[in-house]
Amino acid sequence: MNLTLKVWRQSGPSAQGKIETYDARDIPSEASFLEMLDIVNERIIEKGGDPIQFDHDCREGICGTCSLTINGIPHGKERGITTCQVHMRKFSEGDTIWVEPFRANPFPVIRDLMVDRTAFDRIIAAGGYIDVRTGSSVDANSIPIAKKDADAAFDAAACIGCGACVASCKNASAMLFVAAKVSHLAHLPQGQPERQKRVLAMVRQMDSEGFGNCTNQYECEAACPKEISVDHIALMNRDYTKAVLQEQFA
């Protein structure tokens, strides 16, 4: 396949970026999107140029590190996959492909297509854990959990923290990410003792990081590679409202 790439290049966080054009020639249709970038980078290096910088790790759709905006859509137009699971057979001969980093103020560009997503780490550190001593592991079947709750917790726990929800939202809202982390533990017995403390801390940290409010347009669910439901946002909002009221009247 012969393609044209329009790639965002930016030498550093404070540098002015721009779109540069690259020819992607003789790309195998069975190659993944990241393998295509590898091929283009090899040719750039052979010519003495500076390769395109992008994040990647597992290349199996598990870690979310490979977050790119492809033709204006986080992870591309296919549903339920990450960038590393996009294959070139989904494109046509002669296509022009625009490749950009995730756009959000809380995700500053490090270089080219790499962004700093440590804001997510700080939100999790604010309360996305259980700090009671649980001792050694117990058999999962010894803690009775309703199937509905177990399924909901599993759905929320599937979040890989890639940031597609933020990049797809015009307000750069992290509500789906935070809701998934809050809802995961809220559906389990182990998460009940700190349920109110957790939602207050995580939502307030989210706000302090500069993420916007939910637009209620649900682009986040559409862009999420794990197709996490916006129903978790409703649960988080209810928990947050209850926690704020109890805090005020305590």
Side-chain angles (χ1 to χ4, degrees):
M1 301 174 66
N2 297 311
L3 307 158
T4 300
L5 301 184
K6 300 285 188 177
V7 183
W8 180 261
R9 301 303 306 267
Q10 185 172 337
S11 61
S14 59
Q16 184 175 1
K18 63 179 181 179
I19 293 289
E20 293 189 1
T21 303
Y22 298 91
D23 290 328
R25 301 295 179 188
D26 301 320
I27 303 298
S29 61
E30 66 271 16
S32 72
F33 197 86
L34 296 188
E35 288 169 341
M36 178 273 294
L37 290 178
D38 289 338
I39 294 170
V40 171
N41 273 342
E42 287 178 0
R43 294 170 181 171
I44 292 174
I45 293 171
E46 287 174 356
K47 295 178 180 179
D50 190 15
I52 301 165
Q53 304 294 319
F54 62 94
D55 275 326
H56 66 92
D57 191 8
C58 73
R59 298 202 179 201
E60 294 178 348
I62 299 171
C63 70
T65 306
C66 60
S67 302
L68 300 177
T69 300
I70 304 171
N71 289 335
I73 304 173
H75 294 304
K77 66 179 182 179
E78 303 296 322
R79 295 291 296 269
I81 61 173
T82 54
T83 298
C84 63
Q85 295 172 296
V86 176
H87 286 84
M88 300 313 297
R89 58 179 173 267
K90 297 295 183 179
F91 299 92
S92 300
E93 172 72 19
D95 276 356
T96 296
I97 306 173
W98 294 75
V99 190
E100 300 174 77
F102 278 4
R103 300 291 190 183
N105 284 338
F107 290 166
V109 173
I110 298 173
R111 186 173 180 183
D112 294 345
L113 306 176
M114 300 171 61
V115 299
D116 181 356
R117 287 172 289 180
T118 54
F120 274 7
D121 297 332
R122 291 188 290 272
I123 292 172
I124 293 176
Y129 53 86
I130 296 171
D131 62 13
V132 297
R133 186 172 181 82
T134 58
S136 59
S137 299
V138 297
D139 184 81
N141 293 324
S142 67
I143 304 176
I145 301 173
K147 186 178 187 305
K148 180 181 178 181
D149 290 335
D151 289 345
F154 187 85
D155 177 57
C159 173
I160 56 177
C162 68
C165 51
V166 175
S168 65
C169 179
K170 63 185 180 183
N171 287 352
S173 173
M175 292 283 278
L176 188 63
F177 165 76
V178 179
K181 301 305 178 183
V182 168
S183 181
H184 170 207
L185 296 175
H187 280 97
L188 299 175
Q190 299 92 329
Q192 300 312 307
E194 298 174 299
R195 185 168 179 169
Q196 294 182 1
K197 173 185 173 183
R198 178 181 304 110
V199 70
L200 286 173
M202 295 186 74
V203 170
R204 287 169 179 170
Q205 183 65 38
M206 173 185 70
D207 291 340
S208 70
E209 295 290 345
F211 293 102
N213 201 10
C214 179
T215 64
N216 293 314
Q217 294 179 345
Y218 309 142
E219 295 99 329
C220 53
E221 182 179 306
C224 177
K226 299 304 175 183
E227 299 181 294
I228 295 173
S229 172
V230 293
D231 290 346
H232 295 294
I233 296 178
L235 173 66
M236 183 184 72
N237 285 337
R238 288 196 300 270
D239 276 9
Y240 182 72
T241 300
K242 291 178 183 177
V244 168
L245 290 174
Q246 291 193 13
E247 182 184 54
Q248 292 177 347
F249 292 103

